[in-house]
Amino acid sequence: TPGYSLPFSPPSQALTTHPHSNMQAFDKKLPDALLPYKEKLSPRFFEIRDKVLDFVENVVNPAMSTVDAQTAELMKTVDDPTKCPEPPIMKELRAQAKARGIMNLFLPEVCQLSVLEYSPIAEILGMNQVANLAMNCSAPDTGNMEVLERYGTPEQKKTWLEPLLNGEIRSAYAMTEPGVASSDATNICTRIERDGDEYVINGHKWWITGAMRPECKLFILMGKTSFSGPLHQQQSMILVPRDAPGVKILRALTVFGEAEDHADIIFDNVRVPATNILLGEGKGFEIAQGRLGPGRIHHCMRSLGQAELALAALVDRAHRRKAFGKILAEKDAIRTTIAEARIEITMCRQLCYLAAVMADEIGFKAAQHYIAMIKVAAPRATLKIIDEAIQAHGAHGVSQDCKLPGMWTNMRTLRLADGPDQVHLMTIAKKEIAAMTTGKNSLGRRISGTNPNVEKYGKFSHVEGGALYVSGGGKPSKL
């Protein structure tokens, strides 16, 4: 799954990619979608991609039956599925991934891959949750490790980044709050107050992904060290051990009624050393922008891996059901659905590669409108494809015998995670409007046209001083 699931999925939810899949993502040849970018791909990319494909096919897939069996036994030892620990075999798989040099591929500072080069690998990992975990490329740890790598002190890196990079511990990102609209991060109101050599934290967070799992040992928390001054310099990020006194995990939150690894948490007079602050007071927004940009591209490429799985399921079902005298695969309606799904996946993949290239070329901040585009487009398209696959499966498609319902739930959640669609659409619109402000958009004015009699007779000169109606007039948008 894209990263929003139980600490470890029960056997019925485990996703295995068949080693003989005919998807291009698993072809030893360079996938067609990457041919336009061939000159931007380093020899290291081809080496790493081959290693990942070999690892998934020859190490992870053969281990899946053991993963399922161990998980089933561990489920019997806990009173809630969100408390289920990872199966022991995960340690072995991580060791093999590390030996192959394919852990932490999301982190350019570690793996020397560009954002573009990691993108097709993320798609592969989106099809195989166990490989994603074994290679230590799962959210929210990926974003947290990026933060620590870029903004952490040597001491913070030693204490937290090293065990995270080794897959010895997991982490969570504590930002969202139930009492405010957290999609506008200026609303975040958890207090981080200096008291001598410590900070005291008081707040209420929820939808903290990964906080329920027993392996989680660290929160990166966003709150306010100031409630005055410049709006975007009030927020700070701070490291909070999960077992710090005053951290109270109230409950696991459900997604569409099903238990998932998202926590509702109270921070009640939690004290941490002043050295736990990241980059300094008032740097929370700066860090957040650095954290969220890469993660959004990773999420989108993993989403496309899910879309490929859903399309494969749709095609398989269409060949195994006959209705009204024909195999479903022979019916025009099903063929149209299949064709449209392939078009959507192909378009979104190219948009994701474009966003990745722009991030590599000009940086994540300057490329944010491209990232916003794919963050809206990929989950939307994937959700639609999964929904169409469910429809083709009929009642089976919503049952516990089918993996599509869990995929749909995760993808619907992703349209809210890391910023809801509406926020990203605003980012795109602001960029578009700023690029075509009135006065600079002569082509738009020419195509739009004006009624010459409005200016000639002047009957609207009292409205906005005539600025909206006369030739060349118009007020710039406040955006």
Side-chain angles (χ1 to χ4, degrees):
T1 62
Y4 297 92
S5 62
L6 290 176
F8 213 89
S9 300
S12 62
Q13 294 298 314
L15 293 179
T16 309
T17 305
H18 194 278
H20 302 296
S21 168
N22 61 0
M23 297 176 187
Q24 278 205 4
F26 286 88
D27 198 321
K28 293 290 184 181
K29 294 191 306 180
L30 189 69
D32 293 348
L34 281 171
L35 288 176
Y37 304 98
K38 190 173 181 180
E39 299 305 315
K40 292 184 176 293
L41 302 175
S42 65
R44 179 166 172 76
F45 163 74
F46 292 95
E47 175 192 348
I48 291 295
R49 183 174 179 271
D50 286 346
K51 287 182 177 181
V52 170
L53 293 175
D54 179 74
F55 180 67
V56 171
E57 180 175 342
N58 297 313
V59 179
V60 175
N61 284 333
M64 287 304 299
S65 59
T66 303
V67 171
D68 287 351
Q70 290 183 353
T71 302
E73 288 302 310
L74 287 168
M75 283 288 185
K76 298 174 183 178
T77 68
V78 294
D79 58 2
D80 188 287
T82 64
K83 298 177 183 178
C84 184
E86 288 184 351
I89 195 174
M90 287 307 304
K91 187 174 182 180
E92 300 172 28
L93 293 176
R94 284 196 182 97
Q96 295 207 43
K98 187 173 184 178
R100 286 168 168 76
I102 54 172
M103 281 187 75
N104 306 308
L105 295 181
F106 66 92
L107 197 58
E109 295 86 348
V110 172
C111 69
Q112 287 83 52
L113 291 179
S114 68
V115 181
L116 171 65
E117 290 173 327
Y118 178 64
S119 295
I121 292 172
E123 181 179 352
I124 294 169
L125 300 184
M127 300 184 207
N128 194 306
Q129 179 189 14
V130 173
N132 195 37
L133 285 167
M135 291 167 55
N136 212 33
C137 292
S138 295
D141 301 297
T142 49
N144 291 342
M145 284 187 272
E146 285 167 339
V147 165
L148 287 165
E149 171 62 36
R150 293 171 189 173
Y151 307 109
T153 65
E155 181 185 353
Q156 291 167 349
K157 291 180 180 181
K158 181 70 176 177
T159 304
W160 298 112
L161 180 58
E162 287 186 14
L164 280 167
L165 288 172
N166 290 328
E168 297 165 4
I169 63 172
R170 303 291 302 275
S171 62
Y173 182 57
M175 176 177 168
T176 305
E177 298 177 357
V180 296
S182 301
S183 56
D184 176 359
T186 62
N187 287 332
I188 297 300
C189 60
T190 291
R191 292 179 176 274
I192 305 173
E193 299 172 306
R194 184 71 180 254
D195 183 17
D197 293 334
E198 295 179 316
Y199 281 100
V200 182
I201 302 164
N202 280 283
H204 186 176
K205 301 286 189 180
W206 77 334
W207 292 104
I208 310 308
T209 302
M212 296 302 301
R213 59 172 64 101
E215 294 82 12
C216 179
K217 305 300 180 185
L218 172 69
F219 299 138
I220 294 183
L221 179 141
M222 185 166 180
K224 284 188 176 180
T225 44
S226 173
F227 283 78
S228 61
L231 194 58
H232 293 86
Q233 294 176 25
Q234 300 174 12
Q235 299 78 15
S236 301
M237 288 194 192
I238 195 163
L239 305 175
V240 181
R242 185 177 182 267
D243 61 359
V247 175
K248 300 176 182 178
I249 297 181
L250 304 178
R251 57 177 175 161
L253 297 166
T254 65
V255 180
F256 295 107
E258 294 295 324
E260 295 283 355
D261 185 18
H262 311 281
D264 191 355
I265 307 174
I266 291 289
F267 294 84
D268 187 18
N269 290 317
V270 177
R271 289 182 171 270
V272 298
T275 53
N276 281 23
I277 201 80
L278 280 164
L279 195 60
E281 292 188 8
K283 301 294 186 179
F285 255 88
E286 179 182 341
I287 296 171
Q289 291 308 308
R291 180 189 189 278
L292 294 174
R296 286 167 178 159
I297 295 178
H298 303 165
H299 277 316
C300 292
M301 285 308 299
R302 287 194 295 264
S303 296
L304 295 179
Q306 294 279 287
E308 288 282 9
L309 291 178
L311 178 55
L314 196 165
V315 172
D316 176 73
R317 183 72 172 187
H319 282 90
R320 293 193 295 115
R321 282 296 183 273
K322 187 175 183 179
F324 305 103
K326 279 187 177 181
I327 293 292
L328 293 185
E330 297 174 357
K331 292 184 175 293
D332 289 346
I334 293 292
R335 289 188 169 192
T336 298
T337 298
I338 291 169
E340 288 180 346
R342 174 51 62 203
I343 291 169
E344 288 291 328
I345 292 172
T346 303
M347 289 193 301
C348 284
R349 186 180 282 121
Q350 288 301 319
L351 180 54
C352 198
Y353 288 164
L354 173 61
V357 168
M358 295 308 292
D360 285 329
E361 295 289 335
I362 63 177
F364 286 101
K365 186 174 182 180
Q368 64 179 336
H369 58 295
Y370 290 107
I371 298 170
M373 290 179 203
I374 192 58
K375 179 57 176 65
V376 172
R380 264 190 190 174
T382 301
L383 190 67
K384 184 176 185 295
I385 293 166
I386 295 171
D387 192 67
E388 293 287 5
I390 289 173
Q391 196 70 19
H393 280 72
H396 177 82
V398 295
S399 75
Q400 68 267 40
D401 295 328
C402 184
K403 296 179 177 65
L404 291 169
M407 293 165 61
W408 188 95
T409 297
N410 284 320
M411 200 50 54
R412 185 63 188 83
T413 305
L414 188 55
R415 288 189 60 198
L416 297 169
D418 278 357
D421 288 1
Q422 291 85 348
V423 171
H424 298 298
L425 290 169
M426 286 296 293
T427 298
I428 299 164
K430 285 180 181 179
K431 178 72 173 180
E432 197 69 18
I433 291 170
M436 294 190 177
T437 53
T438 303
K440 298 179 182 177
N441 189 14
S442 58
L443 180 60
R445 173 60 59 85
R446 194 165 67 198
I447 299 301
S448 177
T450 58
N451 181 339
N453 290 322
V454 170
E455 187 173 3
K456 180 177 180 179
Y457 292 100
K459 297 302 182 181
F460 295 94
S461 60
H462 62 291
V463 180
E464 300 286 346
L468 297 177
Y469 302 94
V470 300
S471 178
K475 288 187 175 182
S477 167
K478 292 181 180 179
L479 289 176

